[in-house]
Amino acid sequence: MVRPSRSYRVFQGVNGVILSLVVVVTLYPFVNIVARSFSGERQIRAGEVTLWPKGFNLTTYKIVFQDSMFWRNYGNTVFYTVVSTAVAMILTTCYAYVLSKKHLKGRTALVGIAVFTMFFTGGLIPHYVLITTLGLKNSVWAIALPNAISVFNLLVMKAFFESLPVELEEAAQIDGLSTYGILLRVVLPLSKAVVATMVLFYSVSFWNSWFSAFLYMDSSDLMPVTVYLRNMILGATGGSTAGAGTEQLSQVGANIQAVTIVLTSLPILCVYPFVQRYFVSGVMLGAVKG
């Protein structure tokens, strides 16, 4: 066994120190946010909270968890995210698979149409008029359909499909599989990495989205949890700055932003470790061809 040279050991040590510092710098804001969410109002305003809660307080969490509207909106968020991600994955996968076929007539035009939408949009008012005219308001489709295809995700998935051996599809076609059969039984099983990556991208996007629901939903019962927490932030900070808040409202106003970040990020943080192993390989295989 060849022993590493002294210069290589020095490189490993320096590399380890630098990466450790990067990890500390990356984790500090998250730990600080969690600590603030459990801290008291006086300690937060005095800037005493760093990595550990001070003046331990659960007032904001209690107010949020005891509100039935929070749980209703949380359920809406889960439903909107699942449906929207499923629709987005179906449309993106089919579109990307079609674009990956170099013999397809009009392929360049289809790619151009997709790329064009990255730089030009119809604007907010035409979008609103279109959604209203189609009768999609106050439904999950107002959230799912306008954001169904991300061009970035589409191009990454297209590049991934192009990297797969053409011989596999030709062999499947000889065995009698149709186009959809090849996609479902040959291509997708080989594309777990990029599929998992795209699911993560889409689910995070839809989970954090609030403006579409704010624009197209008329009832608070239909809002996602992001809109609920946004309204709570406005109510707490507005009430406390106006001088009309109680001690409890002052506490809520002090750490509502931290509680908001924790509650909206927690589900994604729980899911991410299960798809993280696909993340790097999925993006790299879809972004680099060689």
Side-chain angles (χ1 to χ4, degrees), residues 212-255:
S212 295
F214 180 77
L215 193 63
Y216 301 125
M217 302 297 181
D218 295 330
S219 173
S220 58
D221 291 340
L222 299 175
M223 296 295 183
V225 71
T226 47
V227 176
Y228 170 90
L229 295 174
R230 170 188 175 275
N231 294 337
M232 190 173 183
I233 291 175
L234 293 178
T237 55
S240 59
T241 54
T246 62
E247 181 180 353
Q248 186 182 59
L249 184 59
S250 179
Q251 169 62 33
V252 172
N255 67 347

Side-chain angles (χ1 to χ4, degrees), residues 42-93:
R42 183 183 63 80
Q43 288 79 5
I44 294 175
R45 297 190 184 281
E48 299 176 359
V49 182
T50 53
L51 299 178
W52 192 258
K54 293 188 177 181
F56 189 80
N57 198 303
L58 297 175
T59 301
T60 306
Y61 281 105
K62 290 179 180 178
I63 292 176
V64 173
F65 288 154
Q66 290 174 358
D67 190 353
S68 60
M69 184 62 68
F70 168 78
W71 295 109
R72 185 179 296 111
N73 291 160
Y74 214 96
N76 291 339
T77 298
V78 174
F79 176 69
Y80 294 157
T81 301
V82 171
V83 174
S84 300
T85 302
V87 171
M89 285 303 302
I90 292 173
L91 295 180
T92 303
T93 301

